[in-house]
Amino acid sequence: GAAAAAGVLAGCGGGRAGGAGVSLRVRNVQGLTHTLNSAFPIWPGFAPIQVTNIRSFEKDGFFANTWQAPEHHGTHVDAPIHFGKGAWSADQIPDQALVCPAVLIHVHERAASNPDTQVTVGDLRAWERQHGKIPEGAAVLMHSGWEARAGDINAFRNMDGKGTMHFPGFSKEAAEFLLKERSINGIGVDTLGLDHGASQDFAVHFGLLPANKWGIENLANLAKIPPAGATLFVGLPKVQGASGGTARILAVW
């Protein structure tokens, strides 16, 4: 939704501590986070979140729950250590790396007929022809329209008879281009994985995360933000040693 114009001071330093601050005039705030509950689709083999009430107003005078959930559930961040031994854990990611220019790549038209479609280097170069070079410290986000399936775990996983999932993601070549030719903080998708669902080698995970880049999976509402000009705020819990975590993601512009 829209917010009153406000000044925000944020460091967009490409993951470097002490990056120069920039002043942002914010008129729009868009949440990019799915509401998490036990019905939200999760990677096969993992148990969904369980929320248990432990205090009630009637008995205790206040309300509180306890959660039991895997780190990688719902709209969440993959910290670099998730696929990179010795890379940053969630608490080690610099604050400046969690405030980023948002680059939005639309593949929803292809995804409508080809669930295995991937973000390509051609897609990235097409974005740059229209909007200029991908900004330093950017978060490059894929919009495939997959969130429309989030209410149906079978449709969201889109698993075939052999147990292979089919959903869009980034290609290995696009990930390598962003890592070697551009200076980004991370990438994000509106599907269950940074790699496309049929991937057998998780090349995007293994390529980007060990280089201290993060990933966001299961984003929502990407169609509601501009392709360029927004800033992403990643609200990642600072849990020591965590490989990631459920996050509240906001875009402002």
Side-chain angles (χ1 to χ4, degrees):
V8 176
L9 189 65
C12 300
R16 297 186 302 272
V22 294
S23 179
L24 302 178
R25 298 295 297 179
V26 176
R27 292 188 176 274
N28 299 280
V29 178
Q30 177 61 59
L32 303 180
T33 310
H34 286 283
T35 298
L36 181 57
N37 56 42
S38 60
F40 192 85
I42 192 170
W43 194 267
F46 287 84
I49 189 170
Q50 298 297 320
V51 179
T52 304
N53 179 250
I54 57 172
R55 295 291 187 270
S56 69
F57 289 112
E58 293 76 16
K59 293 178 60 177
D60 307 291
F62 66 97
F63 178 78
N65 297 322
T66 185
W67 306 348
Q68 183 174 353
E71 293 171 322
H72 302 273
H73 188 18
T75 303
H76 69 273
V77 174
D78 285 1
I81 199 173
H82 185 40
F83 274 71
K85 185 176 181 179
W88 290 334
S89 55
D91 57 303
Q92 294 172 325
I93 299 174
D95 293 339
Q96 292 86 353
L98 299 174
V99 182
C100 313
V103 168
L104 185 62
I105 307 296
H106 288 287
V107 299
H108 58 285
E109 292 183 353
R110 299 202 307 262
S113 58
N114 177 16
D116 294 316
T117 196
Q118 300 172 60
V119 174
T120 66
V121 175
D123 293 324
L124 301 175
R125 292 197 179 279
W127 187 95
E128 290 190 325
R129 285 194 295 272
Q130 187 170 0
H131 303 288
K133 188 175 180 179
I134 292 171
E136 182 177 355
V140 181
L141 312 176
M142 177 195 77
H143 169 237
S144 71
W146 213 251
E147 69 176 276
R149 300 172 176 240
D152 182 338
I153 188 171
N154 292 323
F156 203 71
R157 289 175 173 172
N158 199 29
M159 193 176 292
D160 63 25
K162 297 182 179 179
T164 299
M165 294 184 288
H166 297 273
F167 53 74
F170 278 78
S171 69
K172 176 183 178 181
E173 294 76 16
E176 289 177 344
F177 173 83
L178 292 171
L179 184 61
K180 298 176 181 178
E181 304 294 332
R182 299 295 181 265
S183 178
I184 65 166
N185 274 314
I187 64 174
V189 297
D190 54 3
T191 61
L192 274 173
L194 305 176
D195 292 270
H196 68 295
S199 173
Q200 299 298 310
D201 58 8
F202 297 97
V204 176
H205 282 84
F206 279 115
L208 282 175
L209 298 185
N212 280 333
K213 310 302 179 185
W214 46 254
I216 308 175
E217 295 169 338
N218 300 321
L219 285 161
N221 299 320
L222 288 176
K224 297 180 180 180
I225 70 172
T231 297
L232 198 73
F233 288 79
V234 181
L236 175 62
K238 198 171 184 179
V239 179
Q240 185 173 4
S243 71
T246 299
R248 189 79 173 253
I249 314 296
L250 301 174
V252 303
W253 67 97

